[in-house]
Amino acid sequence: MAGALGFRPPEPGGEEEVQGKMAGSHPYFNLPDFTQPSPPSTPPSLSSNQRCWPSDATKGLLVALLGGGLPAGFVGPFSRMAYQTSHLPSMELLMCRCLLHLPFALLLKLRGDPLLGPPDVRGWACLHAVLNVLSIGCAYSAVQLVPIGNAATIRKGSSTVCSALLALCLKSQGLSGYDWCGLLGSTLGLIIIVGPGLGTLHEGTTGLYTVLGYLLAFLGGLALSLGLLVYRSLQSSSCLLTVAFLFGVVGLMASVPGLFVLQTPVLPKDPLSWSCVVGVGILALVSFVCVSYAVTRTHPALVCAVLHSEVVVALMLQYYVLYETVAPSDIMGAGVVLGSIALITAQNLSCEREGQVED
Protein backbone atom coordinates (compact mmCIF):
# COMPACT_ATOMS: atom_id res chain seq x y z
CA MET A 1 0.00 0.00 0.00
CA ALA A 2 2.77 2.34 0.95
CA GLY A 3 4.60 1.42 -2.24
CA ALA A 4 1.46 2.04 -4.29
CA LEU A 5 0.95 5.48 -2.79
CA GLY A 6 4.61 6.39 -3.47
CA PHE A 7 5.84 6.17 0.09
CA ARG A 8 8.73 4.07 1.19
CA PRO A 9 9.48 2.96 4.76
CA PRO A 10 12.53 4.62 6.33
CA GLU A 11 15.70 2.69 5.79
CA PRO A 12 17.75 1.55 8.76
CA GLY A 13 20.05 4.36 9.86
CA GLY A 14 18.26 6.97 7.79
CA GLU A 15 17.10 9.02 10.76
CA GLU A 16 20.60 9.03 12.23
CA GLU A 17 22.03 10.21 8.89
CA VAL A 18 19.51 13.06 8.71
CA GLN A 19 20.25 14.11 12.28
CA GLY A 20 23.95 14.02 11.50
CA LYS A 21 23.43 16.31 8.52
CA MET A 22 21.35 18.66 10.65
CA ALA A 23 24.00 18.66 13.35
CA GLY A 24 26.67 19.41 10.84
CA SER A 25 24.74 22.27 9.22
CA HIS A 26 23.12 23.95 12.23
CA PRO A 27 25.37 25.94 14.53
CA TYR A 28 23.60 24.80 17.69
CA PHE A 29 24.47 21.22 16.94
CA ASN A 30 28.23 21.89 16.71
CA LEU A 31 28.79 21.57 20.43
CA PRO A 32 31.42 19.27 21.86
CA ASP A 33 30.33 16.05 23.40
CA PHE A 34 31.16 16.42 27.08
CA THR A 35 30.01 12.90 27.81
CA GLN A 36 33.06 11.42 26.09
CA PRO A 37 36.49 11.75 27.74
CA SER A 38 38.86 13.97 25.76
CA PRO A 39 42.29 12.61 24.86
CA PRO A 40 45.15 13.90 27.02
CA SER A 41 46.91 16.93 25.60
CA THR A 42 50.61 16.51 24.93
CA PRO A 43 52.94 19.48 24.53
CA PRO A 44 54.33 19.82 21.05
CA SER A 45 57.83 18.45 20.89
CA LEU A 46 60.57 20.28 19.06
CA SER A 47 61.94 18.45 16.12
CA SER A 48 65.64 18.08 15.58
CA ASN A 49 65.81 21.15 13.34
CA GLN A 50 63.85 23.31 15.83
CA ARG A 51 65.95 22.67 18.92
CA CYS A 52 68.00 25.48 20.39
CA TRP A 53 71.77 25.18 20.03
CA PRO A 54 74.44 27.62 21.30
CA SER A 55 75.54 30.11 18.71
CA ASP A 56 79.15 30.55 17.58
CA ALA A 57 79.67 33.57 19.83
CA THR A 58 78.37 31.67 22.85
CA LYS A 59 80.62 28.70 22.11
CA GLY A 60 83.63 30.98 21.71
CA LEU A 61 83.08 32.80 25.00
CA LEU A 62 82.46 29.61 26.99
CA VAL A 63 85.52 27.90 25.53
CA ALA A 64 87.64 30.99 26.23
CA LEU A 65 86.37 31.14 29.83
CA LEU A 66 86.52 27.46 30.80
CA GLY A 67 89.35 26.25 28.58
CA GLY A 68 91.42 29.39 28.14
CA GLY A 69 91.25 31.56 31.25
CA LEU A 70 90.92 29.02 34.06
CA PRO A 71 93.86 26.76 33.04
CA ALA A 72 96.03 29.79 32.26
CA GLY A 73 95.51 31.04 35.80
CA PHE A 74 97.58 28.09 37.08
CA VAL A 75 100.51 28.75 34.74
CA GLY A 76 101.83 31.81 36.58
CA PRO A 77 101.84 30.25 40.08
CA PHE A 78 103.40 27.03 38.78
CA SER A 79 106.10 29.06 37.02
CA ARG A 80 106.82 30.96 40.23
CA MET A 81 106.98 27.71 42.22
CA ALA A 82 109.45 26.21 39.74
CA TYR A 83 111.60 29.32 40.00
CA GLN A 84 111.51 29.38 43.80
CA THR A 85 112.35 25.70 44.25
CA SER A 86 114.97 25.17 41.53
CA HIS A 87 115.63 28.67 40.13
CA LEU A 88 114.37 27.43 36.78
CA PRO A 89 114.96 30.19 34.20
CA SER A 90 112.13 31.44 32.03
CA MET A 91 113.79 30.38 28.76
CA GLU A 92 114.07 26.81 29.96
CA LEU A 93 110.43 26.78 30.98
CA LEU A 94 109.47 28.10 27.55
CA MET A 95 111.61 25.42 25.90
CA CYS A 96 109.88 22.66 27.85
CA ARG A 97 106.50 24.03 26.88
CA CYS A 98 107.41 24.23 23.19
CA LEU A 99 108.43 20.57 23.18
CA LEU A 100 104.81 19.60 23.80
CA HIS A 101 103.76 21.39 20.60
CA LEU A 102 105.99 19.31 18.31
CA PRO A 103 103.71 16.20 18.26
CA PHE A 104 101.21 18.25 16.24
CA ALA A 105 103.44 17.43 13.27
CA LEU A 106 102.16 13.85 13.40
CA LEU A 107 98.57 15.02 13.12
CA LEU A 108 99.46 17.21 10.15
CA LYS A 109 101.20 14.28 8.45
CA LEU A 110 98.20 12.00 9.04
CA ARG A 111 95.92 14.62 7.48
CA GLY A 112 98.27 15.07 4.55
CA ASP A 113 98.72 18.80 5.20
CA PRO A 114 102.04 20.67 4.90
CA LEU A 115 103.79 21.29 8.21
CA LEU A 116 104.20 25.01 7.62
CA GLY A 117 100.71 25.48 6.23
CA PRO A 118 99.53 26.42 2.74
CA PRO A 119 101.84 28.78 0.83
CA ASP A 120 99.34 31.65 0.84
CA VAL A 121 99.07 31.76 4.67
CA ARG A 122 102.52 30.50 5.61
CA GLY A 123 103.94 33.95 6.31
CA TRP A 124 101.02 34.95 8.53
CA ALA A 125 101.19 31.66 10.42
CA CYS A 126 104.88 32.22 11.13
CA LEU A 127 104.15 35.78 12.28
CA HIS A 128 101.48 34.43 14.63
CA ALA A 129 104.00 31.98 16.10
CA VAL A 130 106.60 34.74 16.62
CA LEU A 131 104.06 36.99 18.37
CA ASN A 132 102.92 34.18 20.66
CA VAL A 133 106.47 33.20 21.59
CA LEU A 134 107.24 36.85 22.37
CA SER A 135 104.10 37.12 24.49
CA ILE A 136 104.80 33.94 26.47
CA GLY A 137 108.48 34.79 26.94
CA CYS A 138 107.60 38.22 28.31
CA ALA A 139 104.98 36.72 30.62
CA TYR A 140 107.35 34.10 32.05
CA SER A 141 110.01 36.75 32.66
CA ALA A 142 107.53 39.16 34.24
CA VAL A 143 106.29 36.71 36.89
CA GLN A 144 109.84 36.41 38.19
CA LEU A 145 110.12 40.16 38.77
CA VAL A 146 106.66 41.25 39.98
CA PRO A 147 103.80 39.52 41.82
CA ILE A 148 101.91 36.96 39.76
CA GLY A 149 98.57 38.69 40.00
CA ASN A 150 99.97 42.04 38.91
CA ALA A 151 101.87 40.51 35.99
CA ALA A 152 98.76 38.71 34.76
CA THR A 153 96.73 41.88 35.27
CA ILE A 154 99.03 44.06 33.16
CA ARG A 155 99.30 41.44 30.41
CA LYS A 156 95.57 40.79 30.12
CA GLY A 157 94.68 44.45 30.51
CA SER A 158 97.04 45.59 27.77
CA SER A 159 95.81 42.82 25.46
CA THR A 160 92.20 43.91 25.99
CA VAL A 161 92.92 47.60 25.45
CA CYS A 162 94.96 46.92 22.32
CA SER A 163 92.27 44.61 20.94
CA ALA A 164 89.62 47.25 21.58
CA LEU A 165 91.72 49.90 19.82
CA LEU A 166 92.20 47.56 16.89
CA ALA A 167 88.43 47.07 16.81
CA LEU A 168 88.03 50.82 16.36
CA CYS A 169 90.46 50.77 13.47
CA LEU A 170 88.85 47.72 11.82
CA LYS A 171 85.24 48.75 11.26
CA SER A 172 84.37 45.26 10.01
CA GLN A 173 84.76 43.95 13.55
CA GLY A 174 82.32 46.15 15.44
CA LEU A 175 81.27 45.86 19.06
CA SER A 176 77.95 46.61 20.70
CA GLY A 177 77.39 49.07 23.52
CA TYR A 178 77.17 46.30 26.10
CA ASP A 179 80.47 44.89 24.86
CA TRP A 180 82.16 48.26 25.29
CA CYS A 181 80.73 48.56 28.81
CA GLY A 182 82.10 45.13 29.65
CA LEU A 183 85.52 45.99 28.22
CA LEU A 184 85.70 49.27 30.14
CA GLY A 185 84.55 47.54 33.31
CA SER A 186 87.15 44.81 33.05
CA THR A 187 89.87 47.36 32.33
CA LEU A 188 88.72 49.39 35.35
CA GLY A 189 88.95 46.27 37.52
CA LEU A 190 92.50 45.66 36.35
CA ILE A 191 93.44 49.28 37.15
CA ILE A 192 92.00 48.86 40.64
CA ILE A 193 94.12 45.74 41.15
CA VAL A 194 97.43 47.08 39.91
CA GLY A 195 97.02 50.81 40.72
CA PRO A 196 98.21 50.78 44.34
CA GLY A 197 101.28 48.76 43.37
CA LEU A 198 102.27 51.25 40.69
CA GLY A 199 102.31 54.04 43.26
CA THR A 200 105.18 52.43 45.21
CA LEU A 201 107.60 51.83 42.34
CA HIS A 202 110.04 54.45 43.62
CA GLU A 203 110.45 52.72 46.99
CA GLY A 204 113.30 50.27 47.58
CA THR A 205 116.28 49.23 45.50
CA THR A 206 114.29 46.82 43.33
CA GLY A 207 112.24 49.55 41.68
CA LEU A 208 114.06 49.18 38.37
CA TYR A 209 113.35 45.44 38.20
CA THR A 210 109.72 46.09 39.08
CA VAL A 211 109.38 48.59 36.24
CA LEU A 212 111.04 46.09 33.91
CA GLY A 213 108.61 43.39 35.00
CA TYR A 214 105.58 45.58 34.31
CA LEU A 215 107.04 46.63 30.95
CA LEU A 216 107.53 42.98 29.95
CA ALA A 217 103.96 42.17 31.00
CA PHE A 218 102.65 45.05 28.88
CA LEU A 219 104.66 43.94 25.84
CA GLY A 220 103.35 40.41 26.35
CA GLY A 221 99.76 41.64 26.24
CA LEU A 222 100.41 43.73 23.14
CA ALA A 223 101.93 40.75 21.35
CA LEU A 224 99.00 38.56 22.45
CA SER A 225 96.39 40.92 20.96
CA LEU A 226 98.28 41.17 17.67
CA GLY A 227 98.69 37.39 17.55
CA LEU A 228 94.96 36.81 18.04
CA LEU A 229 94.16 39.28 15.29
CA VAL A 230 96.58 37.58 12.89
CA TYR A 231 95.18 34.14 13.68
CA ARG A 232 91.63 35.36 13.05
CA SER A 233 92.65 36.35 9.52
CA LEU A 234 94.00 32.89 8.65
CA GLN A 235 91.82 30.92 6.25
CA SER A 236 92.83 27.27 6.37
CA SER A 237 91.17 24.03 7.47
CA SER A 238 94.25 22.99 9.45
CA CYS A 239 95.32 26.41 10.73
CA LEU A 240 95.00 25.38 14.40
CA LEU A 241 97.36 22.42 14.00
CA THR A 242 99.73 24.49 11.88
CA VAL A 243 100.06 27.39 14.31
CA ALA A 244 100.42 25.01 17.25
CA PHE A 245 103.32 23.23 15.54
CA LEU A 246 104.92 26.49 14.40
CA PHE A 247 104.71 27.83 17.95
CA GLY A 248 106.81 24.89 19.13
CA VAL A 249 109.36 25.30 16.34
CA VAL A 250 109.75 29.07 16.70
CA GLY A 251 109.80 28.79 20.48
CA LEU A 252 112.61 26.26 20.42
CA MET A 253 114.58 28.37 17.94
CA ALA A 254 114.30 31.35 20.28
CA SER A 255 114.54 29.73 23.71
CA VAL A 256 117.48 27.35 23.19
CA PRO A 257 120.02 30.02 22.11
CA GLY A 258 118.61 32.49 24.63
CA LEU A 259 118.90 29.95 27.42
CA PHE A 260 122.62 29.40 26.88
CA VAL A 261 123.48 33.02 26.06
CA LEU A 262 121.33 35.05 28.46
CA GLN A 263 120.60 32.55 31.23
CA THR A 264 122.06 29.45 32.84
CA PRO A 265 120.39 26.05 32.28
CA VAL A 266 119.20 24.31 35.42
CA LEU A 267 118.25 20.64 35.74
CA PRO A 268 115.36 20.26 38.21
CA LYS A 269 116.05 17.60 40.83
CA ASP A 270 113.03 17.60 43.15
CA PRO A 271 109.64 16.18 42.12
CA LEU A 272 107.87 19.48 42.82
CA SER A 273 109.84 21.30 40.14
CA TRP A 274 109.20 18.57 37.57
CA SER A 275 105.50 18.57 38.44
CA CYS A 276 105.36 22.33 37.96
CA VAL A 277 107.15 22.11 34.60
CA VAL A 278 104.80 19.38 33.32
CA GLY A 279 101.76 21.22 34.68
CA VAL A 280 102.80 24.46 32.99
CA GLY A 281 103.27 22.68 29.65
CA ILE A 282 99.96 20.82 29.69
CA LEU A 283 97.80 23.66 31.01
CA ALA A 284 99.38 26.18 28.66
CA LEU A 285 98.79 23.86 25.70
CA VAL A 286 95.11 23.47 26.61
CA SER A 287 94.75 27.23 26.98
CA PHE A 288 96.52 27.84 23.65
CA VAL A 289 94.19 25.52 21.74
CA CYS A 290 91.02 26.84 23.39
CA VAL A 291 91.91 30.50 22.86
CA SER A 292 92.80 29.83 19.22
CA TYR A 293 89.41 28.18 18.73
CA ALA A 294 87.51 30.90 20.58
CA VAL A 295 88.97 33.77 18.58
CA THR A 296 87.53 32.27 15.39
CA ARG A 297 84.03 32.31 16.90
CA THR A 298 83.84 35.75 18.51
CA HIS A 299 85.68 39.06 18.62
CA PRO A 300 89.31 39.03 19.88
CA ALA A 301 88.59 41.90 22.29
CA LEU A 302 85.81 39.89 23.94
CA VAL A 303 88.06 36.84 24.14
CA CYS A 304 90.75 38.91 25.88
CA ALA A 305 88.17 40.32 28.28
CA VAL A 306 86.91 36.85 29.21
CA LEU A 307 90.51 35.72 29.69
CA HIS A 308 90.67 38.13 32.62
CA SER A 309 89.41 35.20 34.66
CA GLU A 310 93.08 34.16 34.65
CA VAL A 311 93.77 37.12 36.94
CA VAL A 312 91.17 36.00 39.47
CA VAL A 313 92.51 32.44 39.53
CA ALA A 314 96.09 33.71 39.85
CA LEU A 315 95.14 35.92 42.80
CA MET A 316 93.45 33.01 44.56
CA LEU A 317 96.48 30.76 44.09
CA GLN A 318 98.77 33.60 45.10
CA TYR A 319 96.99 33.82 48.44
CA TYR A 320 96.12 30.18 49.21
CA VAL A 321 99.11 28.35 47.66
CA LEU A 322 102.04 30.78 47.63
CA TYR A 323 100.89 32.57 50.81
CA GLU A 324 101.51 35.97 49.29
CA THR A 325 99.57 39.00 50.44
CA VAL A 326 96.42 39.99 48.53
CA ALA A 327 95.37 43.59 49.14
CA PRO A 328 91.73 44.67 49.52
CA SER A 329 92.07 46.52 46.22
CA ASP A 330 92.91 43.19 44.56
CA ILE A 331 89.68 41.66 45.86
CA MET A 332 87.66 44.70 44.78
CA GLY A 333 89.22 44.70 41.32
CA ALA A 334 88.66 40.96 40.95
CA GLY A 335 84.98 41.49 41.72
CA VAL A 336 84.72 44.20 39.05
CA VAL A 337 86.45 41.91 36.55
CA LEU A 338 84.07 39.05 37.29
CA GLY A 339 81.07 41.35 36.92
CA SER A 340 82.34 42.59 33.56
CA ILE A 341 82.90 39.04 32.36
CA ALA A 342 79.35 38.15 33.40
CA LEU A 343 78.02 41.17 31.48
CA ILE A 344 79.90 40.30 28.30
CA THR A 345 78.95 36.64 28.48
CA ALA A 346 75.27 37.28 29.24
CA GLN A 347 74.94 39.85 26.46
CA ASN A 348 76.44 37.48 23.89
CA LEU A 349 74.51 34.39 24.97
CA SER A 350 72.26 33.33 22.12
CA CYS A 351 70.94 30.21 20.46
CA GLU A 352 70.25 29.12 16.93
CA ARG A 353 66.86 27.65 15.94
CA GLU A 354 65.71 26.87 12.40
CA GLY A 355 68.58 28.86 10.95
CA GLN A 356 67.77 31.96 13.00
CA VAL A 357 69.58 33.41 16.00
CA GLU A 358 67.51 34.14 19.05
CA ASP A 359 68.74 36.00 22.10
Side-chain angles (χ1 to χ4, degrees):
M1 185 66 181
L5 294 178
F7 294 98
R8 289 183 301 176
E11 299 179 357
E15 296 180 358
E16 289 81 358
E17 182 178 356
V18 173
Q19 293 177 2
K21 291 181 180 180
M22 295 177 59
S25 60
H26 200 280
Y28 292 101
F29 291 97
N30 292 332
L31 298 177
D33 189 4
F34 296 99
T35 60
Q36 300 295 331
S38 59
S41 60
T42 57
S45 59
L46 292 176
S47 59
S48 59
N49 59 346
Q50 292 180 338
R51 292 177 182 176
C52 185
W53 301 101
S55 63
D56 288 343
T58 303
K59 292 178 183 178
L61 291 177
L62 293 179
V63 170
L65 176 62
L66 302 178
L70 297 185
F74 291 84
V75 174
F78 285 175
S79 303
R80 173 65 71 86
M81 292 171 62
Y83 178 76
Q84 290 178 348
T85 55
S86 301
H87 294 282
L88 195 69
S90 59
M91 290 293 180
E92 186 172 354
L93 194 61
L94 178 59
M95 180 186 67
C96 296
R97 173 181 173 177
C98 292
L99 290 175
L100 296 180
H101 285 251
L102 296 183
F104 282 97
L106 299 177
L107 297 178
L108 290 172
K109 282 296 184 181
L110 292 176
R111 290 169 55 95
D113 299 325
L115 294 179
L116 302 181
D120 54 339
V121 299
R122 188 168 298 171
W124 292 107
C126 293
L127 177 61
H128 173 268
V130 172
L131 291 173
N132 270 275
V133 170
L134 178 62
S135 175
I136 299 302
C138 292
Y140 287 167
S141 301
V143 297
Q144 299 178 5
L145 300 175
V146 296
I148 299 170
N150 291 353
T153 300
I154 293 294
R155 181 169 176 257
K156 295 305 179 184
S158 60
S159 65
T160 303
V161 172
C162 293
S163 298
L165 294 178
L166 290 174
L168 290 177
C169 300
L170 302 176
K171 296 181 180 180
S172 60
Q173 298 181 357
L175 295 172
S176 64
Y178 289 99
D179 294 334
W180 281 110
C181 291
L183 291 175
L184 293 177
S186 60
T187 305
L188 176 62
L190 299 180
I191 294 176
I192 293 175
I193 293 175
V194 78
L198 294 177
T200 59
L201 291 180
H202 62 279
E203 299 179 1
T205 58
T206 60
L208 180 61
Y209 293 99
T210 304
V211 173
L212 180 60
Y214 284 125
L215 180 60
L216 290 174
F218 174 80
L219 292 178
L222 176 60
L224 175 62
S225 62
L226 293 176
L228 292 178
L229 184 64
V230 170
Y231 180 79
R232 187 180 175 88
S233 64
L234 296 178
Q235 300 293 334
S236 176
S237 59
S238 60
C239 60
L240 179 57
L241 301 178
T242 301
V243 297
F245 172 71
L246 286 177
F247 175 83
V249 174
V250 175
L252 288 176
M253 293 174 59
S255 61
V256 173
L259 176 62
F260 290 94
V261 174
L262 302 177
Q263 299 175 341
T264 303
V266 175
L267 181 63
K269 297 181 179 180
D270 57 308
L272 179 60
S273 299
W274 280 110
S275 301
C276 292
V277 171
V278 174
V280 166
I282 295 177
L283 293 174
L285 178 60
V286 172
S287 178
F288 179 88
V289 174
C290 292
V291 172
S292 299
Y293 170 82
V295 79
T296 60
R297 303 295 178 177
T298 186
H299 197 282
L302 301 182
V303 174
C304 292
V306 173
L307 290 178
H308 290 172
S309 57
E310 171 187 348
V311 178
V312 180
V313 176
L315 288 175
M316 294 176 60
L317 295 177
Q318 176 181 332
Y319 180 76
Y320 289 105
V321 177
L322 300 178
Y323 301 103
E324 296 181 0
T325 304
V326 176
S329 59
D330 298 336
I331 301 176
M332 184 185 305
V336 175
V337 168
L338 290 178
S340 303
I341 293 175
L343 175 63
I344 294 174
T345 306
Q347 197 274 330
N348 287 274
L349 285 178
S350 59
C351 62
E352 296 178 353
R353 179 182 299 175
E354 292 183 347
Q356 299 179 352
V357 179
E358 299 182 359
D359 293 339

